[in-house]
Amino acid sequence: MHFFRTTIVALILAFQSRAAEEPAHGEAESKEMGPVAFMWPSDRVWSEKTDNAPPCGSAAQPGNRTNFPLMRGAVALVIQDESWNVEVAVAYGNNPVSESDFSGIRGMRADEVNEGHVCYALPESPRAVTDGSNATIQLKYTSDFGTDKNQTFYACADITYVDSAAFTTPIPCFNVTSEEFVTPKESGSVSVHRHWNVALAAILGLAAVVAAAVL
Ligand SMILES: *[C@@H]1O[C@H](CO)[C@@H](O)[C@H](O)[C@H]1NC(C)=O
Ligand SMILES: *[C@@H]1O[C@H](CO)[C@@H](O)[C@H](O)[C@H]1NC(C)=O
Ligand SMILES: *[C@@H]1O[C@H](CO)[C@@H](O)[C@H](O)[C@H]1NC(C)=O
Ligand SMILES: *[C@@H]1O[C@H](CO)[C@@H](O)[C@H](O)[C@H]1NC(C)=O
């Protein structure tokens, strides 16, 4: 445990010195992802041009599917900018093409999410879904990221259900907000450091997952 704490402190220091070298003013926000993205399961290739297009915010077809347990599944999100009306929906089948193919998952709705990580446990999948069934999980939310108006954003993660007993991958499921890692001294220029804090939050969270698995 002592080693674990030392490692965390080293990581915090490394990230803070890195953040101090960042140029300035929002440049640091990632251009590799939208304001909210799937951390697990993996989402389709992101593009700024398509991320407001329903139902999946991507020009890509379902390609790389993540194995997903029939029971005790979860969706882990990374948030780099405050967003609203976050909804998670699912379409059973190989290639959903429209909004109407998706149905909302009960309880999978958040009025607001803040920078950091959030993970939602999914209810058990319906009986008709069995080992080998394909589905697409959709993320839909509102954000004013990079603009002065709210827009709807979409992302999709393609999955294949597997028997829970055969599913051994630890899901990186944790909640953490970037504010938890911002020292008071830094808080005047938080936005510049935002994506470092999100990255740091990711590492700390993963470290926590690993520690939980090991200890
Ligand atoms: C599948 O994953 C590979 C490697 O990450 C990537 O190069 C490829 O573009 C992905 N295919 C699709 C259809 O997303
Ligand atoms: C699920 O998708 C994969 C490829 O994405 C495909 O090879 C497989 O046949 C699909 N399974 C079903 C049950 O349709
Ligand atoms: C977008 O919507 C949220 C929630 O309703 C609101 O707090 C925010 O100010 C809006 N942003 C803009 C630019 O209108
Ligand atoms: C994370 O927070 C959300 C919203 O408060 C909650 O529904 C979810 O269960 C939490 N997840 C974990 C892993 O604690």
Side-chain angles (χ1 to χ4, degrees):
M1 208 53 208
H2 179 70
F3 169 75
F4 179 57
R5 229 175 290 133
T6 311
T7 309
I8 298 270
V9 169
L11 281 169
I12 290 174
L13 293 176
F15 271 86
Q16 288 189 342
S17 63
R18 195 78 190 266
E21 289 160 17
E22 281 291 324
H25 307 304
E27 296 298 322
E29 275 169 1
S30 171
K31 300 285 192 238
E32 307 294 310
M33 61 174 268
V36 184
F38 283 94
M39 180 167 73
W40 196 92
S42 306
D43 47 9
R44 294 188 196 176
V45 178
W46 178 81
S47 137
E48 194 175 353
K49 280 202 183 71
T50 55
D51 66 357
N52 300 119
C56 283
S58 172
Q61 298 294 303
N64 301 317
R65 293 184 181 279
T66 303
N67 284 342
F68 195 92
L70 282 164
M71 282 185 294
R72 292 185 295 279
V75 171
L77 306 179
V78 53
I79 299 134
Q80 70 161 339
D81 199 32
E82 177 182 37
S83 297
W84 300 277
N85 307 320
V86 179
E87 288 173 30
V88 178
V90 63
Y92 300 102
N94 290 339
N95 188 17
V97 291
S98 76
E99 263 296 88
S100 60
D101 292 331
F102 288 89
S103 8
I105 302 175
R106 197 137 62 107
M108 297 289 112
R109 200 180 177 291
D111 290 340
E112 184 176 355
V113 291
N114 291 297
E115 290 92 340
H117 281 268
V118 65
C119 176
Y120 301 103
L122 255 58
E124 200 173 320
S125 41
R127 248 167 237 268
V129 173
T130 56
D131 184 67
S133 298
N134 290 328
T136 297
I137 299 174
Q138 180 201 46
L139 171 67
K140 181 176 163 181
Y141 58 95
T142 304
S143 171
D144 53 17
F145 181 68
T147 64
D148 57 1
K149 63 182 193 340
N150 274 317
Q151 290 180 290
T152 304
F153 288 75
Y154 300 87
C156 282
D158 301 297
I159 60 168
T160 297
Y161 284 99
V162 297
D163 273 333
S164 307
F167 182 83
T168 50
T169 317
I171 299 177
C173 191
F174 55 88
N175 284 352
V176 60
T177 58
S178 63
E179 281 78 12
E180 291 171 43
F181 303 101
V182 178
T183 60
K185 188 160 60 70
E186 263 191 300
S187 60
S189 55
V190 170
S191 64
V192 177
H193 298 164
R194 194 180 278 161
H195 99 275
W196 288 115
N197 283 312
V198 170
L200 176 59
I203 289 183
L204 291 178
L206 283 173
V209 168
V210 170
V214 170
L215 300 178

